[in-house]
Amino acid sequence: MSEQKPTVAIGLLSGCFGCLMSFLDLADDLAEVFNLIEFRRCPFNDVRELEHVTVGMLEGALSTDHDMKLAKEMREKCDVLVSLGTCPSYGGIPGMRNFQDSKTICEDVYGRRVPDDEELPQLLPAVVTLASVVKVDYFIRGCPPTTEKIKETLVAILEGKKVPEKTRNLCVECPRTKESILTPRRGFLTQGVRSVMELDEIDPTRCFLEQGVVCMGLVTVEGCNARCLGDNMPCRGCMGPVPGVPSQGNKLIDAVATLIPSGALMFFEDSVGIAFRYTHAADESMRK
Amino acid sequence: MEKLKISPVSRIEGEGQITIYVDDNGNIERARFQMLEFRGFEEFLKQRPIWEMPLITSKICGICPIPHHLAAVKAAEAALGVSEIPPLAIKLRKLLLDGGSIQDHALHFIYLAFPDFVFDASEVKPEKRSVIGLFKDYPDLVKKGIFLRKFGVTLAEAVGGHSIYPTTAIPGGMSRPIDEQKRTQLLDMLDEALQYAEETAKLAWKATVGLSKKYPANFSSKFMGLSRDGNCAHYDGSIVVIDEAGKVNSRFEADDYEVYIEESVERDSWGKFPFLKKQGVRDGVYRVGPMARLNIAESINGESATKWLAKYKELAGKKPNQHLFSYHLARCIELVSHLEAVGQVLQDQNITGKEVRTPVQRAAGEGVGAVEAPRGTLIHHYRCNDKGVVEYANLIVPTTHNNFALNASLAEVAEEVVKDGKLDDRGTQRMEMAVRAYDPCLSCATHAWTPDKKNGAQIKIVRTSEQEEMR
């Protein structure tokens, strides 16, 4: 056994373990990975101390002071830091708590008796992205990232290479066909905004926007194989924006505004909760 | 007062720590399992459309997203007044739940818990006490674990789209049927999976019986779980609570959970502490999860699982199993049962039928949905306005139900392993084994909490004297 195997540490911030499940889905390839690298502090073994490692991966959002401490410590102790998944990269779903301030959340939840033991982590005022706190070397996007993407990135890191960046939107991977959306017309594409459950038939081959259902695909970066679209469900944007687009959410709302009669926007329930679902914490335009 | 800390607790799903509070005379005052994450779901679920709940709440947990997805869709259907969905959609949802539990149970028992049964922390280094260490010494076992997970994941993908974050359950049914090719692929894998599950159950039997003798545990509680006509149920059924003697304490529909369950807050935990209202804090402690389900069940799906259930029941005589390590055995018996159930359903060619949904319109309403997640009873509760926008959300997750019990078990182990105010490597492992038996899911437990403002219910503050008595 070689002594020089690259070492890997994994830290869990306020997340859900989903990215690590995607890693475990390597299944039969796990043996190969176990041979290539050596795990130090990670949720799969009993190592508690964070020693210096080659690669550090962080999953979850930065939501508490404990998360913040772990993120900084990890940066210090690793050569290459990976932001694993959409949470550390954009705030992800936990970033939706930024709709309210943390004090309101605590009081709503616990009343006047907010738990205050010194062992408990304290909430940050808002969820922030990892890159806003420390330097990040690699981003693996997606909620969850695909198993292939995790493997590809790990291999690239070990070989000291860059991972080619995806630059197009999800429509290029989507199996559905567009027709009326591409035809010049004076009228609007659809009369209103509907939810999938309300459709008489969910057409599995036609663009969701043409069926009156909001799909985030056109403002979301490619790379997930359009899994949801294949399952007859619209995209919710978990991969984050196309590079160069500062606000995935605003871009979506703009797009929808051009497709439906302007008054119908009023009937687009919870446009912010859909358009900014995964990027609220990263979006400058959402700062209070 | 002194504190002993194990941080982070290893081989569990999420970032948590154990704090043992030791008084000046060296006595254990209490032990706490504390979660170090915070997310706050119930707050930001408000203002979102109710049909988005299955898509957002599945993100509470990457390990058990499927029960969240399904509890949410059931609660949404109840709120939107959907009284009936196509029977095929129900069958598919049950399959989806089976797939999730298969991969979850295999992950927990083989990847996370099993290293404890073969690697003693006083002898084996921390790096080795892992699935990677297992892979070196017990490659066959790990390969079986990988295969069982793969079966669960393949099944979950066939029905739910993703296995991590399914998307296909929508109010009114499923967004798409499953295809024939997947059905045959799964049937081809089934025999091998069943064989491995059977072997896993045997291993769990050995481990459970051995460990329970070696490390007796006195903590006992009531148990809660879903049951349909006495059968162990996961997707539907009534909530049943049995007492320490195994007698039915209460039986209610999920809609009435607030009548039976109350939650308390303690200052040293972000997680709340539910208990049975009628019995109060002291006597109202209950547990959920595989051990609870099998203690409650009179029957279970599958021929082999039925035999296993009988053996399981004999373990504790006529009473419910109380030893925390029985969780492992119960988990693996369920693994067998899920696979047998899946086999029966997949044999039926009609499972690939196309009638999987009925359209649903937005409407005002309120609804509760309960399912059995791998770790226990999961309850989602929503109220929405006529635009379908959620105004109130409350979720009670399995790890929270077990909060009192887990801390009580920890205190019990601490009494035994903390010597002169110190904890050695094996003692630390024993503490962690207690945590792992419950298979807590921190992602779920830290989604945050909302008090019941609707009924103006008061949060009960537990005083230290009561805590003392509970221990």
Side-chain angles (χ1 to χ4, degrees):
Chain A
M1 198 168 63
S2 144
E3 290 288 310
Q4 276 88 32
K5 260 195 213 176
T7 47
V8 174
I10 300 174
L12 302 175
L13 308 173
S14 291
C16 79
F17 216 79
C19 299
L20 296 185
M21 296 297 280
S22 188
F23 168 78
L24 288 178
D25 284 347
L26 278 168
D28 301 329
D29 291 342
L30 276 176
E32 190 190 328
V33 174
F34 292 162
N35 274 329
L36 281 176
I37 53 183
E38 210 165 283
F39 280 98
R40 291 292 155 83
R41 183 198 195 269
C42 88
F44 307 127
N45 62 29
D46 288 359
V47 181
R48 266 174 268 273
E49 304 307 316
L50 186 55
E51 301 159 40
H52 197 95
V53 290
T54 325
V55 185
M57 299 205 277
L58 284 170
E59 189 218 70
L62 280 114
S63 183
T64 68
D65 56 359
H66 175 82
D67 296 333
M68 193 63 97
K69 203 175 121 221
L70 183 56
K72 288 179 178 161
E73 198 184 347
M74 191 71 117
R75 175 68 275 182
E76 269 175 34
K77 299 265 176 81
C78 64
D79 299 334
V80 177
L81 181 65
V82 182
S83 171
L84 178 58
T86 294
C87 285
S89 304
Y90 296 110
I93 293 268
M96 276 211 282
R97 87 158 161 89
N98 292 7
F99 280 119
Q100 287 121 326
D101 66 71
S102 59
K103 205 165 156 257
T104 313
I105 293 176
C106 276
E107 284 173 4
D108 259 16
V109 172
Y110 298 99
R112 280 174 296 116
R113 290 288 299 256
V114 178
D116 59 353
D117 192 90
E118 59 187 13
E119 290 300 333
L120 296 179
Q122 294 304 304
L123 293 195
L124 300 176
V127 170
V128 294
T129 63
L130 184 59
S132 72
V133 177
V134 294
K135 180 176 162 281
V136 176
D137 302 302
Y138 287 82
F139 291 92
I140 305 181
R141 295 175 179 89
C143 182
T146 61
T147 306
E148 299 73 42
K149 185 74 190 175
I150 297 176
K151 190 180 173 186
E152 184 196 341
T153 310
L154 269 178
V155 170
I157 294 171
L158 298 183
E159 292 173 353
K161 290 181 181 155
K162 281 201 169 135
V163 183
E165 194 173 33
K166 302 275 188 187
T167 54
R168 303 171 300 175
N169 74 1
L170 188 59
C171 296
V172 299
E173 287 180 356
C174 181
R176 290 163 183 267
T177 53
K178 294 188 185 109
E179 203 181 296
S180 44
I181 202 170
L182 302 175
T183 314
R185 52 166 62 217
R186 280 184 178 277
F188 290 100
L189 182 66
T190 157
Q191 290 307 305
V193 181
R194 306 168 78 192
S195 78
V196 176
M197 69 171 191
E198 292 170 315
L199 301 180
D200 285 334
E201 291 294 330
I202 315 170
D203 188 334
T205 59
R206 192 169 162 219
C207 173
F208 267 116
L209 291 166
E210 294 188 358
Q211 299 182 59
V213 172
V214 172
C215 174
M216 292 283 288
L218 78 170
V219 296
T220 300
V221 70
E222 62 182 318
C224 63
N225 308 323
R227 292 175 290 193
C228 300
L229 282 308
D231 293 321
N232 226 7
M233 289 297 283
C235 170
R236 284 294 173 256
C238 79
M239 295 289 289
V242 178
V245 174
S247 173
Q248 185 188 23
N250 286 325
K251 185 105 178 157
L252 186 271
I253 291 172
D254 283 353
V256 173
T258 64
L259 298 172
I260 58 175
S262 50
L265 256 190
M266 286 195 308
F267 301 100
F268 176 7
E269 289 310 333
D270 190 32
S271 50
V272 290
I274 290 173
F276 295 89
R277 182 165 300 174
Y278 290 92
T279 54
H280 189 302
D283 200 311
E284 294 279 349
S285 66
M286 296 302 275
R287 297 278 144 77
K288 279 175 188 150
Chain B
M1 178 162 45
E2 252 192 274
K3 280 184 275 189
L4 294 171
K5 234 181 354 173
I6 305 173
S7 181
V9 174
S10 61
R11 283 184 278 130
I12 55 167
E13 293 108 353
E15 184 96 353
Q17 68 181 23
I18 298 169
T19 309
I20 307 169
Y21 297 80
V22 186
D23 72 14
D24 296 337
N25 302 322
N27 298 319
I28 313 291
E29 194 193 278
R30 65 189 194 280
R32 275 278 177 273
F33 178 61
Q34 291 157 329
M35 298 137 194
L36 299 174
E37 316 176 0
F38 183 92
R39 290 174 315 144
F41 269 80
E42 278 135 334
E43 284 303 300
F44 61 68
L45 289 179
K46 285 190 267 184
Q47 303 307 317
R48 314 278 88 82
I50 195 160
W51 54 84
E52 295 285 328
M53 293 299 118
L55 298 179
I56 304 178
T57 58
S58 61
K59 309 264 170 168
I60 288 174
C61 179
I63 305 137
C64 50
I66 290 165
H68 281 289
H69 187 59
L70 294 175
V73 83
K74 280 180 72 182
E77 280 166 353
L80 294 165
V82 181
S83 52
E84 221 182 323
I85 65 167
L88 191 52
I90 295 177
K91 278 191 188 166
L92 289 179
R93 288 179 184 181
K94 286 182 177 172
L95 271 182
L96 181 56
L97 205 49
D98 286 328
S101 297
I102 290 166
Q103 77 83 13
D104 195 316
H105 284 348
L107 171 77
H108 183 265
F109 185 73
I110 296 176
Y111 290 53
L112 301 179
F114 201 81
D116 288 323
F117 308 149
V118 287
F119 299 138
D120 187 316
S122 54
E123 294 157 9
V124 181
K125 282 200 295 197
E127 290 89 344
K128 171 115 187 178
R129 300 195 308 260
S130 71
V131 62
I132 302 150
L134 274 188
F135 199 75
K136 288 195 183 107
D137 295 6
Y138 305 85
D140 280 354
L141 174 67
V142 177
K143 280 180 192 154
K144 284 168 190 168
I146 288 175
F147 188 86
L148 282 167
R149 268 207 79 229
K150 197 155 86 179
F151 184 90
V153 166
T154 309
L155 173 59
E157 282 175 356
V159 185
H162 305 208
S163 70
I164 316 167
Y165 315 138
T167 52
T168 56
I170 56 174
M174 303 294 280
S175 68
R176 60 152 177 80
I178 61 168
D179 64 55
E180 177 60 22
Q181 189 221 335
K182 285 276 180 194
R183 185 181 79 92
T184 47
Q185 183 196 350
L186 284 160
L187 279 175
D188 287 344
M189 292 168 77
L190 187 71
D191 283 344
E192 194 176 344
L194 260 172
Q195 185 200 323
Y196 294 163
E198 205 54 60
E199 289 169 21
T200 308
K202 281 180 195 147
L203 279 175
W205 173 268
K206 240 174 93 181
T208 299
V209 174
L211 287 169
S212 319
K213 277 196 190 125
K214 200 165 166 194
Y215 305 119
N218 295 318
F219 174 72
S220 66
S221 73
K222 299 184 170 56
F223 293 96
M224 178 190 287
L226 287 177
S227 162
R228 203 180 54 249
D229 308 322
N231 195 38
C232 181
H234 290 81
Y235 178 75
D236 45 19
S238 312
I239 297 179
V240 174
V241 179
I242 57 167
D243 64 18
E244 288 78 355
K247 297 224 162 53
V248 173
N249 166 285
S250 41
R251 186 190 302 269
F252 54 94
E253 297 311 309
D255 302 13
D256 292 329
Y257 78 96
E258 289 164 318
V259 178
Y260 293 87
I261 303 169
E262 195 172 332
E263 291 180 311
S264 65
V265 174
E266 293 187 26
R267 58 177 296 266
D268 53 12
S269 173
W270 282 119
K272 286 190 183 171
F273 293 77
F275 58 93
L276 297 168
K277 234 179 207 174
K278 206 163 65 181
Q279 273 78 26
V281 180
R282 264 181 56 200
D283 296 328
V285 176
Y286 60 92
R287 282 182 278 186
V288 299
M291 174 158 74
R293 287 192 287 262
L294 294 205
N295 280 342
I296 292 166
E298 290 154 30
S299 62
I300 190 166
N301 286 331
E303 226 173 281
S304 174
T306 300
K307 287 184 197 147
W308 274 111
L309 181 66
K311 277 183 83 171
Y312 172 87
K313 298 260 178 200
E314 279 166 28
L315 256 186
K318 292 217 168 353
K319 286 186 179 165
N321 269 298
Q322 293 281 2
H323 199 292
L324 74 166
F325 291 137
S326 297
Y327 264 116
H328 294 300
L329 176 59
R331 201 167 281 129
C332 295
I333 295 175
E334 281 199 333
L335 191 57
V336 174
S337 172
H338 283 301
L339 280 161
E340 288 187 294
V342 168
Q344 288 160 12
V345 178
L346 287 180
Q347 295 294 345
D348 179 6
Q349 277 187 354
N350 296 325
I351 195 73
T352 56
K354 307 288 177 248
E355 297 294 316
V356 293
R357 67 176 283 265
T358 171
V360 173
Q361 302 308 314
R362 60 192 81 184
E366 183 167 354
V368 177
V371 298
E372 282 293 327
R375 292 158 189 79
T377 316
L378 168 66
I379 300 169
H380 281 213
H381 177 187
Y382 307 115
R383 187 174 68 238
C384 67
N385 65 18
D386 58 347
K387 299 182 186 76
V389 173
V390 170
E391 292 177 334
Y392 171 82
N394 188 32
L395 319 171
I396 303 188
V397 303
T399 299
T400 306
H401 288 296
N402 282 340
N403 224 350
F404 267 127
L406 171 53
N407 285 306
S409 291
L410 279 177
E412 195 179 344
V413 178
E415 291 283 357
E416 191 191 326
V417 299
V418 175
K419 302 213 172 80
D420 305 324
K422 286 193 178 63
L423 203 54
D424 62 11
D425 287 346
R426 180 59 180 169
T428 302
Q429 188 178 30
R430 288 280 316 281
M431 293 294 286
E432 291 185 294
M433 281 166 76
V435 174
R436 286 195 276 271
Y438 285 91
D439 187 14
C441 183
L442 277 59
S443 336
C444 287
T446 56
H447 67 279
W449 309 95
T450 313
D452 184 5
K453 283 183 188 152
K454 186 190 55 178
N455 299 328
Q458 292 292 308
I459 291 171
K460 187 168 171 69
I461 306 294
V462 181
R463 277 176 294 277
T464 317
S465 57
E466 276 176 289
Q467 284 178 7
E468 284 293 311
E469 284 177 77
M470 270 182 298
R471 269 200 306 116

